[in-house]
Amino acid sequence: MSEMSFEELLNESMKEIHPGDQITGKVLSVHKDYAALNIGYKADGIIKSFDYSREPDLDLTKVLHVGDELKVVVKKLNDGEGQVVLSRRELVQSQINEKLKELFESGNVQHGKVIKITEGGIVAQIEPEVTVFIPRSLVSNKSNEDISTYDGKEIDFVISEFNPARNRCIGDRKRLLVLEEKKKRADALAKIHEGDIIEGTIINLLDYGAFIDLGGIDGLLHISEMGWGKIKNPKKTFNIGDKIKVLVRDIKDGKISLTAKFPEENPWLIARVNYALGKTVKGKVVRMTDYGAFVALDDYIDALLHVSEIAREKIKKPEDVLTIGQEIEAKVIDYNEVDKKISLSMKALLPEPEPTKENVEDVADVNIEEYAKKMEEENKEN
């Protein structure tokens, strides 16, 4: 066997490596942007900060020390200066992808800490370097929520999408919140029955009514059911956050209808006495139409004063003799509790007109004796 040169002996002792190989090296020197590693090859390896981690602007002196052993993957055998280009990031990403794939396929709820807030969503860390992006639309079940409040918080979510080819892993927190809300709603609904009286909290006000939180489930209080009095604008009568006592009118298909009209407070129970047929009552003109005026007898009950019942003489329109806000006295000429209608008459309280020559027929004098004699003769003939 011929003698081998020192260079040949050195090359023989060095292991063969190829791009894509996973190897372990020992750190020889560390700088902010790169580190040199002894990889048991004829040339040292070099790893730059962007090949070490996905973390931007990483200072390698804070994570590596001389003598540390580091598992890496070979990217290139020569960087142009005779050094082997190494990457820890690719190796770690492969391990991360395996972990994320496992978590995705399990379908289990994941727990992580929010480490970053972006314009499009949040980044949650499950374990070191294993992170998931949760889009803004999937962070919460509340619209227009300020996601900056999640910074540094621990949250639960599921991994809804995993695509390693596109380096895409999407988390979904909203799905869990929706399921939790459904469960709370079902639990709350099971405890509520028609006829129950509950104190709730107003959580939303609309032109047609209010939504009331009954403790895990909402109910609708329609404007027509907000009380025995008339409410024109709920937003001017109530405020969000107000406590209100309501009665459960109806439960249908999981929807709850409420009322604040309690039977024992029904003003018509009093009206049957105060505004009984034939009674004389006082009220205030609150509205007028072509056919009559509506008179408020109290805070809850209005009565109709028909134009024909205002005066004995013919009146074309109520406003010809009445004004809004005018107090009047009238007689109840019709009371209908079923339809909740009361009719009034001012005319009925007016004195009877004095007889005149034009409306009184002439009356002839009658001789009673002669009339009786005549009737007796007629009876004999018959």
Side-chain angles (χ1 to χ4, degrees):
M1 182 182 294
S2 61
E3 287 191 19
M4 299 176 65
S5 67
F6 176 77
E7 185 178 355
E8 289 173 331
L9 287 171
L10 183 61
N11 289 339
E12 182 69 19
S13 66
M14 293 297 177
K15 59 187 177 183
E16 289 290 329
I17 59 174
H18 306 89
D21 286 352
Q22 294 182 16
I23 59 175
T24 300
K26 183 173 286 190
V27 178
L28 298 173
S29 63
V30 186
H31 305 272
K32 181 180 179 181
D33 299 323
Y34 70 94
L37 279 71
N38 177 3
I39 56 175
Y41 188 61
K42 60 185 178 182
D44 290 336
I46 190 83
I47 183 168
K48 296 185 177 180
S49 59
F50 60 79
D51 277 324
Y52 181 86
S53 170
R54 290 185 297 173
E55 184 179 339
D57 303 321
L58 174 66
D59 184 351
L60 287 179
T61 62
K62 295 182 179 180
V63 293
L64 287 178
H65 305 88
V66 174
D68 287 350
E69 287 192 348
L70 191 64
K71 194 171 183 180
V72 292
V73 64
V74 177
K75 288 183 70 176
K76 291 182 182 179
L77 293 179
N78 192 326
D79 65 350
E81 296 181 2
Q83 299 177 108
V84 180
V85 180
L86 306 172
S87 174
R88 172 183 174 275
R89 178 174 175 173
E90 290 187 11
L91 180 61
V92 171
Q93 188 60 54
S94 177
Q95 295 170 343
I96 290 173
N97 285 344
E98 285 297 321
K99 179 69 175 179
L100 291 174
K101 180 182 179 183
E102 177 188 338
L103 298 179
F104 170 67
E105 292 178 347
S106 74
N108 294 333
V109 175
Q110 306 302 322
H111 185 79
K113 181 179 181 180
V114 178
I115 60 171
K116 188 176 182 181
I117 306 289
T118 70
E119 185 176 346
I122 63 178
V123 178
Q125 185 180 68
I126 299 174
E127 55 186 64
E129 298 193 276
V130 180
T131 60
V132 174
F133 178 70
I134 304 177
R136 177 184 288 271
S137 61
L138 299 180
V139 171
S140 173
N141 57 342
K142 299 176 182 177
S143 59
N144 301 321
E145 185 175 22
D146 181 8
I147 63 174
S148 65
T149 59
Y150 288 90
D151 193 18
K153 289 187 177 180
E154 303 277 342
I155 61 171
D156 289 333
F157 55 91
V158 292
I159 299 176
S160 59
E161 182 182 345
F162 176 62
N163 188 336
R166 296 179 57 190
N167 195 28
R168 181 180 174 87
C169 186
I170 302 298
D172 187 343
R173 180 172 179 267
K174 180 179 179 180
R175 185 188 303 179
L176 298 181
L177 296 177
V178 170
L179 290 174
E180 182 182 358
E181 191 174 83
K182 283 184 178 179
K183 184 179 183 305
K184 285 183 179 179
R185 181 180 174 84
D187 292 343
L189 189 60
K191 299 176 183 177
I192 295 176
H193 307 89
E194 292 182 14
D196 287 351
I197 296 176
I198 305 172
E199 183 180 68
T201 304
I202 298 176
I203 57 173
N204 197 9
L205 285 168
L206 302 166
D207 292 338
Y208 60 84
F211 282 95
I212 315 297
D213 178 13
L214 304 175
I217 192 169
D218 302 343
L220 174 63
L221 179 63
H222 193 269
I223 187 172
S224 62
E225 296 294 332
M226 286 184 163
W228 291 108
K230 293 180 179 179
I231 293 177
K232 294 182 179 179
N233 189 340
K235 295 178 182 179
K236 292 184 179 180
T237 307
F238 301 99
N239 297 298
I240 292 176
D242 285 353
K243 299 289 184 181
I244 183 170
K245 186 174 73 170
V246 291
L247 184 146
V248 179
R249 289 181 63 242
D250 181 56
I251 301 176
K252 188 175 182 180
D253 298 329
K255 295 180 180 180
I256 302 176
S257 298
L258 306 171
T259 182
K261 293 180 176 179
F262 296 96
E264 65 274 14
E265 299 172 359
N266 188 343
W268 287 89
L269 297 178
I270 302 172
R272 65 177 62 164
V273 176
N274 292 346
Y275 313 127
L277 188 65
K279 277 212 167 188
T280 299
V281 297
K282 292 181 179 181
K284 185 180 292 185
V285 177
V286 291
R287 184 162 57 94
M288 286 190 275
T289 67
D290 291 341
Y291 58 85
F294 285 90
V295 180
L297 301 179
D298 54 36
D299 291 338
Y300 306 102
I301 296 177
D302 293 349
L304 174 64
L305 174 63
H306 195 270
V307 67
S308 63
E309 295 295 334
I310 295 175
R312 293 195 179 280
E313 63 271 19
K314 186 176 181 180
I315 294 173
K316 292 183 177 180
K317 294 183 295 184
E319 52 262 40
D320 290 342
V321 293
L322 299 175
T323 59
I324 299 295
Q326 179 181 344
E327 291 190 356
I328 66 155
E329 188 173 54
K331 184 177 182 179
V332 178
I333 58 173
D334 186 44
Y335 178 86
N336 187 333
E337 188 172 329
V338 176
D339 295 332
K340 294 180 173 49
K341 292 181 180 179
I342 297 176
S343 296
L344 303 177
S345 174
M346 293 175 65
K347 183 173 70 174
L349 296 180
L350 298 175
E352 290 291 335
E354 293 292 332
T356 63
K357 292 181 179 180
E358 289 77 9
N359 60 14
V360 177
E361 295 181 357
D362 292 333
V363 179
D365 291 336
V366 178
N367 188 316
I368 300 301
E369 291 182 358
E370 288 184 1
Y371 178 78
K373 185 176 180 181
K374 184 178 178 180
M375 293 297 293
E376 183 178 352
E377 292 175 351
E378 289 179 353
N379 291 333
K380 286 181 181 180
E381 293 176 359
N382 294 333

